[in-house]
Amino acid sequence: MQQALANRPCAARRAAAARFGRERCVKVQAVSTANTKPTVLVAEKLGAAGIDMLKQSCNVETAYNMKPEELCAKASLIDALIVRSGTKVTRAVFEASKGRLKVVGRAGVGVDNVDLTAATEYGCLVVNAPTANTVAAAEHGIALLCAMARNVAQADASMKSGKWDRNTYVGTSMVGKTIAVYGFGKVGAEVARRAKGLGMAVLAYDPYASQEKAAAQGVSLVSFDEALAQADFHSLHMPLTPGTKNLFNDAAFAKIKKGSRIINVARGGVIEEAALARALDAKLVAQAALDVFMDEPPKFDGHPLIGRPDVICTPHLGASTMEAQEGVAIEVVEAVVDALAGKLSSNAVNAPMVPAEILKELQPYIVLAEGLGKAAVGLVKDSGFTDIAITYSSPRGDDLDTRLLRAMVIKGVLEEITTAKVNLVNADLLAKNRGLKLTEVNVRSGEGNEVLSSMSVSLGTSASRFSAAVDKTNRIYVEGKVMNGTPFLTKIGNFDVELAVQGSVMLTRQRDQPGIVGGVGMALAKDKVNISFMTVSRTAKDGEAIMAIGIDSEPSPAIMQEITSVPGVVEVTIFKDVPQTEQ
Ligand SMILES: NC(=O)c1ccc[n+]([C@@H]2O[C@H](COP(=O)([O-])OP(=O)(O)OC[C@H]3O[C@@H](n4cnc5c(N)ncnc54)[C@H](O)[C@@H]3O)[C@@H](O)[C@H]2O)c1
Ligand SMILES: O=C(O)[C@H](O)COP(=O)(O)O
């Protein structure tokens, strides 16, 4: 039985809702009463419209450029705090608040300056403003593109030093050139639209982007190597994740079209700064325009890029327009006010997916669902995937409310690849906005009242990073179940495994022959990688096998290469940390 998301029967939904209590997914108890208004500290400049809106229901204090100890001193006197990227909201702040601080609002997208784990532990909801600065960031990308191509910043500095130099600053034209957008999400798509207006051909590299969305904008989706080799301009718009960290390194710059130009308004860590400096020295890259840096503010003394004439820089100004700041102010204030009133906002970043009273029964299943989503997307190759299919095998059959489990799968998939923070309220919408096709199948199986006897997630794709993960129907396939209260991955592709759904795991595929375990183990030992467990599964004696190895740290690229060369080993990959769900 296959059901589209929207077509689940109402009665079954209501019955299941009553059982899972899903209408009560609120974490923050309402803070204000009829007599007392909550107190909100605005720690960075916020648009006036947001401040005015906040004043309608809260006492508002503003204090900018506070030292960390000043913020800690304030923490026990406030119910909510609003920041941008310049304020670090550390564990010390939550500790110092002694339980009073209930909401942190981030007036922007990135929440890397907020300690989310500590916030969750201290029962503090974090909300952000994920959409209102998209256009501003795209405009800044285009501003940097034009300024770089026409040497605007350098020529301005030269004139201000009293020179009239019309020869040094001859630029390069954009019309008829090719730009590659890396990360075809909210900002990337807006940059592509504007680049078309400049007469540029637009390529996009985004393994998870929808082909239809790209085609509708006249954008060609290409591989990373094709984008590097073909584009005259490279504009970065992906999130900083373990998969994108230092993506632009020596190896990438070695493949880049010689003399091309790069713009980064995404996140600093996506480019390895020292590698970019080497690429500029070698003239592989002609110019760079950077809004974001590995450390912010960067260490100016001896910085490899900031002082160079072939690099222009701005101090993280992508979101800094009057309009965007008004927009994010309103977006974040709405979310903060809702949260203070005890409502769960769709902009909640660390919102619980499950009410506490039903967590006990569901905890291992939600960890399983998220882990399966994360594992499946972790196996996707460059070419991305077309759709997600989830199968629930449960004694409850059609009576099983799949909304929460589905949301956890979406969370597992999306939080690996986008800036999106998924919660129960926004999961389906975020999936829809990404053009993700989702199908669910309920199979009545198992006995008693257990939630699931097993569950699988499969992705339609043309290629996987680990070809053994592709099943007979050519889909990346992972399956799992809860055993004695613990979630396990039980199948990858056609291979049976038994992996706890947490920690980092190395997978190898090999011929079933002696010497593999020793060879791989010895190679890992050279990098002092500790092994927590090891399981081997084979299709037949002397046939093919896969081995799963729990690893406490990640081996270097050289050791990964060495493992690939162990006789009999065909392929190797690593699943990064599959996290326990925050609750
Ligand atoms: N400079 C600024 O002030 C500023 C302002 C807003 C956003 N940003 C940054 O811009 C970036 C994009 O933001 P957004 O709102 O468009 O996010 P988004 O989540 O809408 O889009 C990100 C896109 O990157 C893609 N992606 C994920 N992994 C990838 C990979 N390995 N290679 C290529 N693409 C990959 C995703 O599929 C997604 O389409 C983020 O890093 C965000 O923090 C910066
Ligand atoms: O994450 C964001 O929204 C942008 O990087 C902008 O950050 P800012 O609000 O500190 O300008």
Side-chain angles (χ1 to χ4, degrees), residues 85 106 108-113 236-241 244 264-271 291-294 296 316 419:
S85 63
R106 159 63 168 112
V109 187
V111 283
D112 28 316
N113 53 321
L236 313 192
H237 303 289
M238 66 266 276
L240 180 61
T241 65
T244 61
N264 189 7
V265 291
R267 278 293 179 266
V270 170
I271 296 181
D291 184 46
V292 283
F293 299 85
M294 251 145 56
E296 293 187 6
H316 201 148
T419 53

Side-chain angles (χ1 to χ4, degrees), residues 178-191:
T178 298
I179 187 167
V181 168
Y182 297 76
F184 192 60
K186 295 190 293 291
V187 180
E190 292 297 332
V191 166

